[in-house]
Amino acid sequence: SVALVGGAGFIGHNLALKLKELGAEPYVIDGLQVNNIGYYTSDYEKNIINEKSLQLMKKSTFLINTARGELIEENSLCKALNNDQIAGAGLDVYNNEPDINPQLLKAKNVVLLPHLGSATSKARNAMGFKVIENLKSYFKFFVCERIKKIIRITPKSDSHKV
């Protein structure tokens, strides 16, 4: 069997290793840009899994996406699932989260989960501290620099002297 895993983060990487242990041939798609405020999908990567790419997959393919919902054109995936064009799919990310495509909900060969990759105490605490660090940075650099610019451009006046 062939498995296409969307995302080579912690979850995607470990899923690919488990699939390999089970005798599958995992292919990992990972073209996401990462910076300190999150993950982004470029216009090039949107719908990279579409009707054409789904037609190229073997019938034994299980498509697994743990990266970003925008990677998969969901209507084409639903068509492929309902026509047994591929064996199945496992998703924990969706195009219009939290709304899930009703066709996906009806498909019999798909496993749908909420995005649980960050649902650990350690991850949630880290996210909270990241918010605090981002706020500190914002106020330290952006607000302070704006205040300095305002002070520099404000004309000095002797009318406020007592």
Side-chain angles (χ1 to χ4, degrees):
S1 292
V2 173
L4 185 60
V5 179
F10 179 78
I11 295 171
H13 174 76
N14 285 308
L15 178 60
L17 291 175
K18 290 287 182 197
L19 289 167
K20 194 166 188 159
E21 287 175 15
L22 294 171
E25 187 179 347
Y27 290 90
V28 179
I29 294 177
D30 187 43
L32 301 177
Q33 301 170 10
V34 181
N35 66 26
N36 65 345
I37 60 170
Y39 291 83
Y40 294 91
T41 305
S42 71
D43 287 339
Y44 172 75
E45 293 157 335
K46 285 184 180 173
N47 298 326
I48 197 167
I49 304 299
N50 52 38
E51 187 171 359
K52 185 177 180 180
S53 58
L54 287 161
Q55 288 172 349
L56 296 172
M57 294 179 190
K58 296 177 181 179
K59 284 188 181 259
S60 61
T61 297
F62 284 89
L63 176 64
I64 300 168
N65 185 10
T66 62
R68 288 283 168 242
E70 296 89 358
L71 292 173
I72 298 176
E73 202 289 301
E74 287 181 354
N75 289 328
S76 296
L77 175 60
C78 292
K79 183 179 170 185
L81 290 167
N82 291 327
N83 294 333
D84 294 323
Q85 189 176 331
I86 62 172
L91 309 172
D92 77 343
V93 288
Y94 311 93
N95 278 326
N96 297 308
E97 290 182 46
D99 298 321
I100 298 175
N101 185 325
Q103 293 178 32
L104 282 174
L105 295 172
K106 293 176 186 174
K108 291 178 175 45
N109 50 351
V110 67
V111 176
L112 305 173
L113 294 171
H115 191 64
L116 297 173
S118 67
T120 65
S121 298
K122 185 177 178 181
R124 295 291 163 98
N125 286 337
M127 286 191 291
F129 287 116
K130 189 64 168 174
V131 168
I132 292 167
E133 290 304 313
N134 286 342
L135 287 169
K136 284 181 182 176
S137 294
Y138 173 80
F139 285 109
K140 182 177 180 180
F141 298 108
F142 181 74
V143 175
C144 290
E145 289 302 314
R146 294 256 325 177
I147 290 170
K148 286 179 189 175
K149 287 179 184 176
I150 292 169
I151 291 170
R152 272 185 259 148
I153 61 169
T154 304
K156 293 183 179 180
S157 171
D158 291 335
S159 61
H160 292 88
K161 289 186 178 180
V162 178

